[in-house]
Amino acid sequence: MASSRSVSAARSASVGYRCHHAFRLIVLVILLAVLALLIVQPLGWIVFNSFHDDVTGQWTLRNYVQIFTPTSLWAPLFNSLVLATAVAVISTLLGVPLAWLVARTDMPMRGFVRLFTMAAFVTPSFIGALGWILLAAPNSGWLNVGWRALSGADWPLLSIYSMIGTIFVCSIYTVPYTFTLVSSALEEMPVELEDAATTLGSGVVKTMFSVTIPLVMPAVLVGFILSFIQGMTLFGVPAFLLTPSGTLVVTTKLAEFYQLFPPALYMSAAYCMPLIAITGMLFYARRCILGRRQFTTVGGKGRAGRKIRLKGWRLPALAFALIVPVTAVVLPYIAIVLVSLSRAWGLGPIPSNLTLHWYRWAIFENAETQRAIVNSLLYAGGAASFCMIIGILVAYIVERKLLRGAGLIAALVTIPIIIPGIVLSVGFFSAYTRQPLTLYGTATIIIAAFVATFLPIAYSQAGSILKGISPDLERAARSVGATEARTFASITAPLMRGGLVAGWLLVFIPIMRELSVAIFLVSPRTNVMTTLIYNYKDGGNYEAVCAASALLLFATLIVVLLARFVTEGAAYRRRNAASLGAVP
């Protein structure tokens, strides 16, 4: 009798194991199919198209030869390299001292500087470019108008429609990358080494360059690489500031290929390859730098909280630290808001010229703007949610080592991190404007492109959360018969909740301000706010452009505040429940 019961138990265990294994295989197949549609197929079509001729459709290497032959094709590549190098250098020169001042010194207004520097990160860079057009356009920019009125000169003080102007705007909106990385490294670094240098007679500046900067050099180098990649792959700023002068970079040249009739789809695919190669090599360099960790300290975390006293240099340091907040946030925001409240922006911000007409027009009268607002929120919310679902599943499989193919899934998920947004847009256009999946002009293709672009962020965030959760509770649940799905839903997911909201925001915010991914995929009915602003700007209606830009920033802020309110409310309820449970 006992023997039969043991046999029955063994059979049940065997059946349970096979069911668990079958469930895992089904999940693996579904994930691989989804990732193939999101990543492999668009990139595969780019590679396939790059070896075909636009006229004959035959296999050829001519596209690659042409990239480096006529000036019209290699000049944009050279311009992009110049732009990216200058942006990386300036962002590093601004971001590293700024991070040191905020994290390590007693400079006044540190909280303000940190907040507004991060506001520059949230602000779409092409909206910043719009603000600087209003301020520094050669003829009508307010700063130039004021300069002519004060000096009597007939020439502009500033010209934003130039490579220098483009470098300036790209740099101030790229500084937050270096600032965030370096300030985090500085806050984790012990202060004893700086104390020792000061005790031996080293001054503040000498200590910073001889001790502090070498210790955070990996973060500095990674910030430089990320800034270079941003300068290389940005589309909106060069489109706004360089196109009027006829200067092209790689991203705007790709857009030009699509404006031809018929579009040069195969040539544009080949033109994507240098961009992929450059970003791929730089991300590999970034991985090597982070993996090598040459600059380390021995021992635990040191004392925190002591700030270096700047004494008489506090105000000069503050003046330097305010460069990015003022140029990236304060001045452009003021210009955009004032123009959005103006009947005609050329008349200036005088009381008789102020009106709410453009907001009323955008929100209540213009169906196109109404549709774009709804589309932006729906597409960003949907894409962020799908990103988190896929990212969580992949991270759970990889971190818990549930399947043998987990490494392949992780590799697929992280591929888009080296693919510029405009290149993915080219890939989705090539893959899904033909049978059997003709998705062009639909919400599906835009949401899918957003998911593919920002999936690495969701996967990274979910993986970081799971690393901090012990698998012991999950093992206990499975030992008493809980399935994988039930274990995840009842134990793991609740423990991840707070971090998942933060991850969702990390995906939602960049989607709301993303232009390059959507630029080739939208139709009049699927326009989002970023593409609508881009189209309005081409029409020259700056009052409407500024009203739409202000609404985009406001909508993003509202969603962020709501998500933060929900997160803090849930944390507050958990604390209350815990305190009540502790009461006897």
Side-chain angles (χ1 to χ4, degrees), residues 8 113 170-171 187 211 266 382 487 573:
S8 177
V113 171
C170 289
S171 298
E187 287 165 356
V211 177
Y266 297 157
T487 299
R573 287 192 295 272

Side-chain angles (χ1 to χ4, degrees), residues 42 44 61 70 134 136 139 141 184-185 215 268 311 388 455 464 563 567:
L61 293 174
L134 304 173
N139 297 321
S184 297
L215 286 173
S268 66
K311 300 178 182 178
M388 291 309 300
L455 188 54
S464 299
T567 305

Side-chain angles (χ1 to χ4, degrees), residues 188-193 215 293-302:
E188 292 296 320
M189 191 185 81
V191 300
E192 281 81 355
L193 294 174
L215 286 173
R293 298 183 184 275
Q294 287 181 339
F295 303 95
T296 59
T297 57
V298 178
K301 187 174 179 179

Side-chain angles (χ1 to χ4, degrees), residues 292-485:
R292 194 166 58 237
R293 298 183 184 275
Q294 287 181 339
F295 303 95
T296 59
T297 57
V298 178
K301 187 174 179 179
R303 293 183 287 111
R306 187 189 65 79
K307 300 295 182 183
I308 296 172
R309 297 184 62 187
L310 296 176
K311 300 178 182 178
W313 290 96
R314 295 178 79 227
L315 291 181
L318 177 61
F320 172 82
L322 288 175
I323 291 174
V324 173
V326 169
T327 57
V329 179
V330 177
L331 289 177
Y333 276 43
I334 289 173
I336 288 170
V337 170
L338 288 177
V339 170
S340 71
L341 295 172
S342 301
R343 299 179 192 276
W345 79 281
L347 299 177
I350 56 177
S352 61
N353 192 37
L354 299 180
T355 180
L356 291 174
H357 165 74
W358 296 109
Y359 287 100
R360 185 171 63 252
W361 170 83
I363 298 172
F364 300 110
E365 298 175 6
N366 185 269
E368 193 175 31
T369 308
Q370 295 169 356
R371 190 183 304 117
I373 294 172
V374 174
N375 288 346
S376 291
L377 293 171
L378 289 179
Y379 298 169
S385 301
F386 280 119
C387 267
M388 291 309 300
I389 291 170
I390 298 172
I392 292 165
L393 287 175
V394 173
Y396 187 69
I397 290 171
V398 171
E399 293 299 326
R400 299 300 189 249
K401 298 179 175 60
L402 299 182
L403 295 168
R404 290 182 180 179
L408 173 62
I409 301 177
L412 282 176
V413 166
T414 53
I415 284 175
I417 200 169
I418 68 168
I419 310 299
I422 198 166
V423 173
L424 269 177
S425 186
V426 171
F428 271 83
F429 185 91
S430 301
Y432 298 115
T433 54
R434 63 186 76 221
Q435 296 295 337
L437 292 174
T438 306
L439 301 177
Y440 177 73
T442 67
T444 302
I445 192 172
I446 299 171
I447 293 173
F450 283 148
V451 170
T453 304
F454 297 102
L455 188 54
I457 297 176
Y459 167 68
S460 176
Q461 177 71 7
S464 299
I465 299 168
L466 282 168
K467 282 182 173 69
I469 299 175
S470 172
D472 292 340
L473 289 175
E474 299 163 12
R475 294 193 191 103
R478 285 195 292 269
S479 69
V480 295
T483 62
E484 295 281 359

Side-chain angles (χ1 to χ4, degrees), residues 136-142 144-145 148 156 158 161 345:
N139 297 321
S140 54
W142 288 345
N144 286 321
V145 170
R148 290 192 183 94
L158 304 167
Y161 294 124
W345 79 281

Side-chain angles (χ1 to χ4, degrees), residues 83-115:
L83 174 62
T85 303
V87 166
V89 170
I90 294 173
S91 298
T92 303
L93 292 176
L94 287 174
V96 174
L98 181 61
W100 180 76
L101 289 171
V102 171
R104 281 301 210 206
T105 72
D106 65 344
M107 181 189 72
M109 298 176 63
R110 294 190 305 278
F112 173 87
V113 171
R114 183 187 291 274
L115 175 65

